[in-house]
Amino acid sequence: MWIDPEEVLLAGALWVSERANPFFILQRRRGHGRGGGLSGLLVGTLDVVLDSSARVAPYRILLQTADSQIYWNIACGSSRKEITEHWDWLESNLLQTISIFDNDEDVTTFVKGKICGIIAEENRLKQSEEQEEDCGKFREAELKMRRLFGMPDEEKLVNYYSCSYWKGRVPRQGWLYLSVNHLCFYSFLLGKEVTLVVPWTEVTQLEKNATLVFPESVRVSTRHTEHFFSMFLNINDTFKLMEQLANIAMRQLLDNEAFAADRSLPKPCKTLKNVSALKRDLDARAKNERYRTMFRLTQDERLDGHTDCTLWTPFAKMHVVGQLFISNNYICFNSREEDLCQLIIPLREVSIVEKADSSSVLPCPVSISTKNKMNFLFANLKDRDFLVQRISDFLQRTPDSSWGDSSPLTLIGHSASSSSPLSSSAGSESGHRGRHYHAGLPTASQGLLQLYHRDALEDLGPKAMKEKMKEEAWNIHFSEFGRGVCMYRTSRTRELVLNGIPERLRGELWLLFSGALNEMATHPGYYGDLVEQAMGLCSLATEEIERDLHRSMPEHRAFQNETGIAALRRVLTAYAHRNPGIGYCQAMNIVTSVLLLYCPEEEAFWLLVALCERMLPDYYNTRVVGALVDQGVFEELTRAFLPLLYEHMQELGVISTISLSWFLTLFLSVMPFDSAVLLVDCFFYEGIKVIFQVALAVLHDNMDALLSCSDEGEAMTILGRYLDNVVNKQTVAPPIPHLHALLTSGDDPPPEIDIFDLIKSSYEKFGSLRSDVIEQMRFKQRLKVIQSLEDTAKRSVVRAMMTESAFSIEELEELYCLFKSKHMTSCYWGSSSSAAERHDPSLPYLEQYRIDPAQFTQLFTALAPWICGGHTPTLAARLFRLLDQNQDGLVNFKEFITGLSGMYHGDMTEKLKLLYKLHLPPALCPEEAESALEATHFFTEDEPRGEEGQDGGGDSEEKKEEKVKDYRYYLRMWAKEKEPKTETIKDLPRMNQEQFIDLCKTLYNMFSEEPLEQQLYHSIATVASLLLRIGEVGKKFNNGSKKADHTATQALPPDPQREEELGEGGSSESQVCQALADAQLEPVAPQTSDEETKDDTSVSSYSVVSSGSLQCEDIADDTVLVGSGEQRRGSVLDVDWSITFEQVLASLLTEPPLVDYFEKKRDIQSKMAACKSQRAVERQTSSASDHELTQHSV
C-alpha cells in the first residue's frame, strides 16, 4: 500500500535490493522468503519480538536521488504481487515525468506530493469509520493478524499484546492477538515458528493464576488442550478483555447472536494510541453493564460519564461522598461507603437543574429539583459547567409524559418488520382504545390478595397490630427519605425490607426496587396492546401456558376461579408474545401467580419482565441456562464456605438435584407461601445474593443430618422437611396449606423454623458475599454450562443418527463439529441469511443448526467422495436442493448426514440412485431443468391420460363415490398420508436425453483422478453408447403406442427435421449414430486452461470405442453446461428419447470397472483430517508464498 513518505537513513541495513532504477529501489526484508541464512533468522526473530512493521510488510519501495544520502519510503507490501503492482505503476506513470526535472529537490517534492495525493484519494473513497478512528499502528497490526492467520476482512482485531506462550516448559515470546471471534498467537524465534488459533466458542475455561511453574499467567482451556500465556505488561486488562470476548462467544452459542459493533459511540477527542474502536466499544459495554446492574436500569440505558462529588442528605444532615452517574435517561448517585446512600433520579421527573452559589463550605454545587417537589444538592463537582450542559442536553431530548406513547418497546428478538404492527398500534390513541379485558375488572386495578381481603372483617389481633406498625414504620421512612422512584435508599431501607414489607405496600416496593417502575412509566399502554395482539394466537408457548395454569398455586383461593386464572393467562401470554426467545418456561407460572397476588396485572407483567430479562438472566430460556449457571456458583460457594459438606454431597450427587427448583422459583415451590414471599422481598432489594445466602444457611442448619446421609433420597427428604416447616409467625393472612408439607410431614414433624431467624442467620454467616464476586463466578460457570450443553447436544445428535447412518460414533462427532463450526463461522463472517433464521433452539438438536448453499458447497467439496473438478460446485448445489425438502434454502445436520451417508455407505444401487436423482428435478435448478421438465411432464403425464381414454365411464362413477364419502374415508386417507412411503427404483422418473448427457459428463469428471482412469473412461463410454441405443429403441416403442391410442393431442408437435432424420436411418446402427450425433451438444470450444487441456487429452485415446463412434471428449468437455439458457449450436435435442433407472443400473452392471468403483468402500477419516488441517496448511502457504491468501476456510 502507499504510505506517507518517511525518511530512511540506512537503505541497506537488514534489507536486500531486488530492483532499481535511477529514482526508485524495490527492497525485500532479510529473513523473508526462502534462504537468508543466520542473518535472515536473526532479522526475522528481531521483527517478531520488536513488533516491526517489516513483519507484515516485508517489501518496500524507496525514492532516491543522486545527490542526496536520504531515502524516502513511499510504499510497502505484504506480498511480491502487491509491491510489483506499485512498482509497475511508478515506472509507467512517474519515471518518464521526473526524468526531465533538473533539480533533485523538485523530484522529491513532486513524488511526495503525488503519493500523498493518492493516499488522500484512497481514504476519501474508503469512507471507513473504523479505519479513520483506529491509529495507523493498530491498522498495521490488524493487517498482520489477517495475513499470519489467514483471516478474512470481516474478522476484526480488538487488541494485541506482547506475551509469552508456554509450549511445554519453554516460553515462546511473541504476540497475542485478540479478535472478536478468535484468540491467536504468533512467535518466530531463530527459525522456529509457533502459530496458534483458538476460536472463542471452543473455550471451556478461562483462569488467571500464579504457580511456581507458570508465573502470573492466563490459562485458556479447550476440550482437548490447555494453553498458558504469561509476561503481560498488564495482565488484568488482558484477562478482562478475554472474559468479555469469551462471553460474547457463549452468547453466540446460546442465542446465535453475532457481535455487532456499537456505531453510536462518541468519537474520542484524539486518536488513542493502539486502542481500537472495538476495544472502546467493549470497555463501554462493560461500564454500561455495571451501571445498569448497580441501579437496576433497563438494557438500553447507556452511561455517558461519571464524576466524584458529594450529596447533601437531609435525613442525616451531612454531605455523603460518592460518584454521580449521568446517562441518557437518569441521574444516579452511589456513595463510596457501601449501603450508605443510593439515589436514582429519572430525567422525566426533573423540573429544574441550576448552579447554586459556590462557597468554601459548598464548592461548585448543583441543585436538581423534581416534579414532586424534592430537591437534591450535589457539590464538589470538578467540571460543573460541562456537567450542567450535559444534563441540559439530555433533558432537551427527553419528551414529556407522553414519551412512552411515541416510543413503544419493540418485541424482543423480532425484526423491524415483525415489530411494526406493535409500533403502529401503540400510537397516541393507545390509551383510549378498548382493551381485550374490561377496565373494570378487579385484576386490572389491584392485586388479587386485596380483592379477596376486601370483604373480610378488620382483624384487631396482635399480628394485625404488628402489620400496622410495619406500615407506620414505612410511612415514617417515606416522609423522611422520600417516596417513589427518587427515594433515598440507605441501610435503614434494607433493615425495613429484612423485617418484611407490609402486604399493602409489597407491590409498590417490589416495582420500585426491581426497576420495573421505570419501564412501566415510560411505556404506558404497552401491556394492553400486547394482550390484544397475543390473545387468540396459538403457539407452543400458549399450549404450555394453558397446561400449567391450574397448577399455579392451586391451594390459594385466588387461583381457584376464572378471575385469577384469566389474569395469569393474560400476563404469561403477553410476555411470551413480547419475548418469543423465552416464550414460556415452567416455574414462570408460579412466580407470576405470586406477583399477581400483590400487584395489578400491568405491574405484574413489568415485574416479570424485570425478572426474566435483568434480575435472573437466561433463567427461563429453553435450556434454563441461567439457573444451571447459578447452580454451579452455589456448588462453588458450598465448597468455599462448607467444604466438609461439599465433599460428602458431591459423593451423593445431591447439590445439583436439590437446588435447581430453589433458584428457578425463588423458594416459592419448596417453602410455605407466607415464608417464601419474604425472601422475594429481599430478592427484589438485594438481588440474587440473598437466594445464595439463604440456600447456604439451609445447608448449614442441616449439616449434621446431611453428613450422616447414605444416599441422595435421604438427603432430599431431610432438606424437603426442613423447608416445609419454615414458617412466618407474623403473617396476618389466613394460613395457606402447603401441599408438599402435608404429604411429607410424617408422624413426628420437625420443629418449626422462623423465616426471620433464617434470613438473619444467612446475613450473619454469609453476608460477606458480594455481587461482583458472584458475577465473576457466574462467568466461569457459564463457560462450563454452555459447553456442557453443547456436548450434550452433540451426544444426542450422534445417538439419534446412529440408527439412520452407517458412520461410526467418532465419525459422527467429527462431522457434527465440522458442520457446527461452519454454521458458527457464518454467524460472524456473514452469510446470505441471518444467523437467527438458521438457528432455532426450540427445534430438536438434529435440526437446530442449519447451513446455506455456500457453506454446504464448502463441506461437500471437502468431505464428499465424488469430486468432479470444476463440476463439483454444480453437483453440490444439486445435492443441496435434493436434501432441502422444505425448500427454505437451509439444510440441517440430519439432512446433511443423510446425503453424505448415501455416498459413503450405500450399496451400488443406492449410490447410483442418488447420482441419478442429482440429474433430475428438484435437484436441477429451474434454469437447468427448463427443457428437462417438459420431457419429464410428457412422460409422467402420458400414462394417466391414456388410462382415462381407455376408461370412458370412470368420471361418472367417481362423482357418485364422492357423494357417499364420509369421515371414515378421510380418516383412512389421512392415515395413508402419515405412513412413511418407501421409495423403490420403479418410482424414479424417466431421464431425458439432456439429463442423460449431463450424467455422462458428471461421471467423466468423477473418474479424472482414479488409478484406473482409462478403464473407467472406456467402460462409461461403452455404457453410454448402449444406453443411447436403448433410448432410441424406447422412443420407437413409445411413438408406436401413442399412434395406437390416438393421443395426438397430448404429443408434442411433429418435428419435420426429426422425421427426415428417422427416415434416412433404416438400420438400428444408423439410428444410434444419429442419436450419438445429437448427443454432441456443441463444437469443441478452445481450451481455456491447462487443467481443461489435461482433462481433454486424458480421454481422447478412447474417442472411438464402439461402432456408434461416441465422441467421449465432447461429452466430458467441461465447457458444456447443461441448461445454460442459450440456444445450442449444431444440436437438436430429442424430446422423445428417454431411459429408466433400471436400464441405467443394468447397463452399468455389465462393466466390472464401474461396479468396482461404486462398490469400493471410501474412508471419510482422511477427508475429515484434511478438512481440519486445511486452515494450518493455508497459514503455512501464506507465510511461504508471495501471494496473500484471500480466502479462509475453517
Side-chain angles (χ1 to χ4, degrees), residues 16-69:
V16 179
S17 297
E18 294 200 339
R19 293 188 189 181
N21 60 41
F23 296 99
F24 301 106
I25 304 173
L26 190 155
Q27 294 186 324
R28 173 180 54 84
R29 186 75 166 179
R30 291 184 188 274
H32 179 76
R34 297 178 182 176
L38 181 60
S39 63
L41 292 178
L42 290 171
V43 173
T45 301
L46 196 65
D47 287 341
V48 170
V49 173
L50 299 180
D51 192 31
S52 167
S53 61
R55 186 66 200 167
V56 67
Y59 296 94
R60 70 180 183 182
I61 296 176
L62 301 180
L63 167 67
Q64 66 169 354
T65 54
D67 298 336
S68 176
Q69 297 300 315

Side-chain angles (χ1 to χ4, degrees), residues 272 659 957 1023 1126 1140:
L272 303 173
S659 58
E957 290 178 12
V1023 168
E1126 298 177 2
T1140 63

Side-chain angles (χ1 to χ4, degrees), residues 237 241 711:
D237 285 352
L241 181 57
D711 59 39

Side-chain angles (χ1 to χ4, degrees), residues 670-682:
V670 294
M671 200 180 277
F673 168 74
D674 294 324
S675 304
V677 79
L678 290 173
L679 294 183
V680 179
D681 291 344
C682 300

